[in-house]
Amino acid sequence: MTAHRGWVGPGLLVGAGIGVWSVGNWIFFILVGRLLGPRDYGLVAALLSGCLVIFVLCSGLQPTLAQSNRGNPPDAIFVRALRLTIMTTVVVMIAGAAVVLMASTLISGFPTAATLGAVAVLAAIAIFPLSLGQLQAEGRFGSYALGFITVGITRPLAFLALWFCGIKVLSPLLGTSASWIIGSAVTLVFARRALRTPPIARTATQW
């Protein structure tokens, strides 16, 4: 019975968190479709679909980090991985912005502003699953679920706030970026103990 309770409780927490996240995404897309109209919604949906592909790829960081932490000092691995992820994200965003600006000079009618908004979505797209992996390794599934809940609630709210500020087409993209950043901030706060640990050496066998 103890073992049964040991996985059912965390499973329900994670399921509830992902459920709120899914409902939040559902509400977000309904609002975007209603407020933007078919033409702008199609553009935003295409850009966010591309970001989703990248997020799915980055999601592999979560189980990889959680598995690597088993039997090893987890905090040091997390700090090194987080630093590498942040540096990689900055490089990718700069390169992506450069490509977008170049394309805008070569292609007439290129949606420069909207595509730059999609680049902004990448800001925390890898940091979020990485921090979830740390919480998973620590067995802190309540904090893990709160990360998903934060993103699910803030995404439609951030979109509406930006929309009413007059940003319009960029609002769903920047709102999505804001929700991932806030969600990452929340999970990093929960994983703050790990951030105080010196990073693992690059030559270590665990790395």
Side-chain angles (χ1 to χ4, degrees):
M1 183 64 68
T2 302
H4 178 71
R5 291 178 178 174
W7 67 264
V8 169
L12 291 175
L13 285 174
V14 173
I18 295 177
V20 172
W21 175 65
S22 299
V23 171
N25 288 331
W26 176 64
I27 294 173
F28 168 81
F29 280 106
I30 289 177
L31 292 173
V32 171
R34 180 69 175 175
L35 295 176
L36 259 64
R39 182 175 179 275
D40 289 337
Y41 177 79
L43 173 61
V44 169
L47 292 171
L48 288 177
S49 295
C51 293
L52 179 60
V53 172
I54 298 174
F55 173 71
V56 171
L57 295 174
C58 292
S59 296
L61 294 171
Q62 177 186 328
T64 300
L65 181 67
Q67 179 64 32
S68 298
N69 286 345
R70 294 183 180 178
N72 299 313
D75 300 343
I77 296 175
F78 174 61
V79 172
R80 174 69 69 185
L82 181 62
R83 288 184 180 182
L84 179 60
T85 299
I86 292 174
M87 290 188 294
T88 303
T89 299
V90 171
V91 171
V92 170
M93 290 184 68
I94 292 174
V99 170
V100 171
L101 294 175
M102 184 180 299
S104 67
T105 63
L106 300 175
I107 304 173
S108 177
F110 186 80
T112 306
T115 310
L116 286 175
V119 173
V121 176
L122 305 179
I125 208 167
I127 298 173
F128 182 67
L130 186 71
S131 57
L132 288 177
Q134 175 64 22
L135 295 175
Q136 179 181 342
E138 295 179 7
R140 300 172 63 189
F141 293 103
S143 302
Y144 179 101
L146 280 174
F148 278 106
I149 291 172
T150 300
V151 175
I153 292 175
T154 57
R155 191 181 190 189
L157 292 179
F159 161 63
L160 288 175
L162 292 168
W163 171 267
F164 286 116
C165 287
I167 298 179
K168 305 305 179 183
V169 177
L170 282 176
S171 55
L173 297 163
L174 297 182
T176 298
S177 178
S179 69
W180 288 118
I181 292 173
I182 295 171
S184 297
V186 168
T187 51
L188 287 174
V189 166
F190 287 125
R192 62 187 179 277
R193 180 184 64 83
L195 297 175
R196 303 190 187 102
T197 305
I200 193 171
R202 295 179 180 178
T203 56
T205 56
Q206 295 94 333
W207 180 251

